[in-house]
Amino acid sequence: MTETVAHYMPSTARRVVAVVHGSPWPDGSKSVSEVVDYTWFLVEGWRSFADEHDAAILAPPLGSPGFADYRGWRADNGVRPDVYLNEIVTQFVRSRSLGSVGDRLSLFGHSAGAQFVARYLVLHASRVTAAVISAASTFPVPDDAAPWPFGSKGAPQSANWSSACGVRATVCVGANDTEPRPSAPGQPGTTRIDRATAWVAAMRAHAVASGVTPR
């Protein structure tokens, strides 16, 4: 696993941070080895953060042909991308004898990776300590009228928007990121800024309605 999943292990690890990259290429156009090389390059930029915060960094090689649509949860190889991430975290923690360090994760995702992180948060809220969602084009809204992966209709059984509302999450979008995005179910507005603003508002409202402190 350690040869195919990009990672960085500081001298002391008290937490695991999963870094989920964007997809600056057409879906499915890169081989597994090309995506792995790309993730190793990205991990290099996290070394100083990892050392300062005692964080083991893992970057799953999503975006390869087997997980071409990881932002939208089609798993061409029969394995859901969230399940794959859980498996590689478990393998990494065991191989490093880190005990319970990997029981809960922090996540950072950008663009396509941000969409993955938002959906992972909804499905695995109990495992997430904090999430940063950067420049996502779509979000999983708490709306039964919108089909998964855009809403709650037909979502996997583990989906829990109320629990996700209580996890510390930061949503980031560049101020100049105003290019119109393709329409999608349950996604208001046309830009990443519109959709990020609307999702945060919807999640905060859902938290209040569910008796959860929004974070």
Side-chain angles (χ1 to χ4, degrees), residues 42-60:
L42 292 180
V43 164
E44 289 300 309
W46 285 81
R47 282 178 175 265
S48 60
F49 175 92
D51 290 333
E52 181 178 354
H53 297 281
D54 298 332
I57 306 295
L58 290 176

Side-chain angles (χ1 to χ4, degrees), residues 139-155 161 184-187 206:
F139 294 86
V141 296
D143 182 357
D144 290 338
W148 181 264
F150 306 105
S152 54
K153 182 179 180 180
W161 274 262
Q187 310 299 305
H206 187 80

Side-chain angles (χ1 to χ4, degrees), residues 61-150:
L62 303 175
S64 57
F67 295 108
D69 191 29
Y70 62 102
R71 74 191 78 193
W73 298 93
R74 187 187 74 242
D76 296 335
N77 61 359
V79 179
R80 272 189 1 211
D82 59 318
V83 174
Y84 171 66
L85 175 60
N86 289 341
E87 289 175 350
I88 64 174
V89 169
T90 297
Q91 292 176 27
F92 180 83
V93 168
R94 286 177 178 171
S95 69
R96 297 299 192 279
S97 300
L98 295 178
S100 62
V101 166
D103 289 348
R104 302 189 71 199
L105 312 172
S106 296
L107 296 104
F108 172 85
H110 177 69
S111 192
Q115 296 183 67
F116 171 91
V117 168
R119 292 174 174 100
Y120 184 96
L121 172 61
V122 167
L123 296 187
H124 304 282
S126 64
R127 291 202 66 181
V128 181
T129 57
V132 176
I133 299 166
S134 167
S137 184
T138 68
F139 294 86
V141 296
D143 182 357
D144 290 338
W148 181 264
F150 306 105

